[in-house]
Amino acid sequence: MSLVTSTEMFKKAYDGGYAIGAFNVNNMEIVQGITEAAGELNAPLILQVSKGARAYANHTYLVKLVEAAVIENPNIPIVLHLDHGDSFELCKDCIDGGFTSVMIDASSKSFEDNIAVTKKVVEYAHDKGVVVEAELGTLAGVEDHVKVAADAASYTKPEEVEEFVEKTGCDSLAIAIGTSHGAYKFTPEQCTRNEDGILVPPPLRFDVLEECIKRLPGFPIVLHGSSSVPQDYVEEVNKYGGNMPNAIGIPEDELRKAAKLAVCKINIDSDLRLGMTAKIRKHFAEHPDHFDPRQYLTPARQSIKETVAHKIVNVLGCDGKA
């Protein structure tokens, strides 16, 4: 099986009430951990590459790593997706360079300019057999080259989605309903505390999601910034010398609810980073004499695999759907 687009994948997910995991990749161990989990669970998969990942690892290396994953996992469909493309030129480069899906994020522009830029990418991509994700609304937080202050974030306006999709021809739409990039998605002031003193984030705006679904029946919706920031990883990071106070993410039960609706793609990155960092810190604390990268990257890769397997089964619901 070669790389595929997300078209058929999203249609099955929409009809089946589950979502596909879109996991960011930056190196070999991350690719291996993600694809081993998906392969064993027979789950469809989106491997996504950000502008920052391309700068770090090089476009060619990343494409070849993903192509190797396809060879090693011939029974599951895999999409290679550009995450948060911020220009036509970047999207074009990825389309020409073997990606089967791109995201053009012009959400920081005016509604009219967002339409114009997105339409230009769609026309080029569709001519090459590549699908396009667009975004309406702006998520707060920091992830790679995406930096949006909390006061600059905005929820998607459901009354705009029909016109946007019709005029751009995009294949899926990322909306803003309260998710956020990074490991610090909410300040303590935005949260409440439960009886155990644990921070509880504000709920997602399912009213916005449901109104978008009503206006775009059958159309695949995407959620960015959907890591849950597992507290056991945060505690492990802090135990072994880290400093991550008040890191908090999106509750997994809310993401599962979204996946049962029209959300066909859920982006997860920070959880993978946290797991890797926790295991590497622990390894160095317990084995200060080690210096072979294979020694500390082996448990790091295993944490990726375990995290992705958990997400596939318990959050996305896409196990056995390949």
Side-chain angles (χ1 to χ4, degrees):
M1 184 182 289
S2 57
L3 286 166
V4 301
T5 70
S6 55
T7 303
E8 186 64 23
M9 199 179 279
F10 284 171
K11 184 179 185 303
K12 291 180 179 178
Y14 195 104
D15 294 341
Y18 60 88
I20 313 299
F23 300 97
N24 287 69
V25 299
N26 298 280
N27 63 16
M28 182 187 74
E29 287 78 13
I30 296 175
V31 172
Q32 289 175 326
I34 295 168
T35 54
E36 285 176 15
E40 290 178 11
L41 290 168
N42 197 35
L45 184 62
I46 298 171
L47 296 177
Q48 55 185 29
V49 171
S50 67
K51 180 179 178 179
R54 290 177 86 239
Y56 169 75
N58 179 285
H59 174 102
T60 303
Y61 280 108
L62 290 169
V63 170
K64 294 305 179 183
L65 283 171
V66 172
E67 288 177 353
V70 171
I71 293 170
E72 291 296 315
N73 297 274
N75 297 320
I76 62 170
I78 298 177
V79 173
L80 176 54
H81 175 75
L82 170 65
D83 186 28
H84 284 288
D86 60 0
S87 68
F88 171 80
E89 291 73 22
L90 176 56
C91 291
K92 179 180 182 299
D93 199 31
C94 289
I95 293 165
D96 294 342
F99 283 53
T100 55
S101 174
V102 296
M103 180 206 183
I104 176 63
D105 182 3
S107 61
S108 62
K109 302 181 184 297
S110 69
F111 182 68
E112 293 74 18
D113 287 347
N114 191 351
I115 288 176
V117 173
T118 301
K119 183 178 180 181
K120 184 178 180 182
V121 172
V122 167
E123 289 174 347
Y124 188 84
H126 284 184
D127 188 55
K128 305 287 186 177
V130 173
V131 295
V132 178
E133 174 188 327
E135 182 168 335
L136 266 181
T138 308
L139 274 67
V142 177
E143 183 178 28
D144 283 355
H145 286 70
V146 182
K147 298 178 177 62
V148 179
D151 58 2
S154 61
Y155 292 114
T156 300
K157 299 176 182 176
E159 62 270 19
E160 293 180 342
V161 297
E162 291 167 283
E163 179 183 358
F164 184 86
V165 169
E166 181 180 351
K167 287 186 175 179
T168 63
C170 64
D171 301 284
S172 61
L173 185 65
I175 64 171
I177 62 170
T179 57
S180 178
H181 294 296
Y184 299 90
K185 299 183 185 299
F186 308 98
T187 65
E189 292 73 26
Q190 292 174 295
C191 304
T192 58
R193 290 189 183 271
N194 64 18
E195 59 274 11
D196 298 318
I198 297 172
L199 291 173
V200 179
L204 298 181
R205 288 288 303 275
F206 279 96
D207 58 322
V208 174
L209 172 58
E210 288 165 357
E211 185 61 26
C212 289
I213 295 171
K214 180 179 175 182
R215 293 170 180 268
L216 293 173
F219 194 80
I221 301 296
V222 176
L223 287 186
H224 284 244
S226 296
S227 283
S228 297
V229 189
Q231 292 304 295
D232 55 340
Y233 282 159
V234 175
E235 290 170 7
E236 194 168 12
V237 167
N238 292 335
K239 177 181 178 180
Y240 293 105
N243 183 24
M244 297 188 67
N246 299 322
I248 187 170
I250 309 300
E252 290 186 338
D253 59 339
E254 294 196 29
L255 296 172
R256 185 70 193 100
K257 178 180 176 181
K260 290 179 179 179
L261 298 172
V263 173
C264 297
K265 174 176 178 275
I266 293 180
N267 289 14
I268 299 168
D269 184 14
S270 294
D271 288 354
L272 307 188
R273 299 182 184 192
L274 273 171
M276 287 194 80
T277 300
K279 298 309 176 187
I280 290 171
R281 282 189 174 277
K282 181 174 186 281
H283 187 91
F284 279 134
E286 295 177 346
H287 305 280
D289 58 317
H290 283 184
F291 62 92
D292 184 342
R294 293 171 295 184
Q295 292 172 315
Y296 55 84
L297 289 177
T298 295
R301 180 173 57 192
Q302 181 63 24
S303 79
I304 295 284
K305 182 176 179 179
E306 292 172 359
T307 299
V308 171
H310 168 76
K311 298 291 183 180
I312 286 172
V313 175
N314 298 297
V315 180
L316 304 163
C318 62
D319 50 309
K321 308 296 186 182

